[in-house]
């Protein structure tokens, strides 16, 4: 089993910045191959991939956040961060940390995730 604990988020005006953090831990002898991502979801919509980071430090971004969001992390500590800048009202959503090696193998857009964080709300006002 893998547990993901998120922190950060909150409310900001358009054009502002926020940061999210997520720490993963494994129990029961579960081996973690680093592959962590951020997704987001708004009411009535499917969860969508935002950014992905693999064990080599290679990042993948959804088109709608390229140039504005930066994903980073520490492979040894199983942590992942999301720095969000130039936020827009349409970025308002519940943001979820995700862990699943399949994302790095098959792509962020597949949404193949077994382990999710509890979610943290990001609200951007106009």
């Amino acid at each position: 089993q893998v547990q993901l604990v998120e922190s950060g988020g909150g409310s900001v005006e358009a054009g502002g910045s926020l940061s999210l953090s997520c720490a993963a831990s494994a129990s029961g002898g579960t081996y973690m191959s680093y592959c962590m991502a951020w997704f987001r979801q708004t009411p009535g919509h499917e969860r969508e991939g935002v950014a992905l980071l693999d064990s080599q430090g290679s990042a993948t971004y959804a088109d709608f956040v390229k140039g504005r969001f930066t994903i980073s992390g520490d492979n040894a500590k199983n942590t992942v961060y999301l720095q969000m800048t130039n936020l827009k009202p349409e970025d308002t959503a519940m943001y979820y940390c995700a862990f699943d090696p399949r994302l790095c193998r098959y792509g962020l857009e597949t949404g193949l995730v077994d382990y999710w964080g509890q979610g943290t709300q990001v609200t951007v006002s106009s």
Side-chain angles (χ1 to χ4, degrees), residues 20-105:
L20 306 180
S21 300
C22 175
S25 60
S27 61
T30 302
Y31 172 74
M32 291 185 62
S33 174
Y34 191 94
C35 179
M36 300 187 74
W38 291 95
F39 284 73
R40 70 186 189 185
Q41 188 173 23
T42 54
H45 294 83
E46 292 188 356
R47 203 167 291 188
E48 60 183 0
V50 175
L52 172 68
L53 187 67
D54 68 16
S55 60
Q56 304 304 309
S58 179
T60 302
Y61 296 94
D63 287 343
F64 51 80
V65 301
K66 284 182 180 178
R68 300 188 298 121
F69 291 11
T70 302
I71 189 170
S72 61
D74 187 326
N75 193 343
K77 296 181 179 179
N78 288 322
T79 56
V80 66
Y81 311 97
L82 187 67
Q83 177 67 34
M84 303 180 290
T85 64
N86 191 21
L87 282 160
K88 304 175 181 180
E90 52 263 42
D91 293 318
T92 295
M94 186 71 77
Y95 283 71
Y96 296 90
C97 176
F99 166 78
D100 199 307
R102 293 177 297 175
L103 287 173
C104 293
R105 181 172 184 179

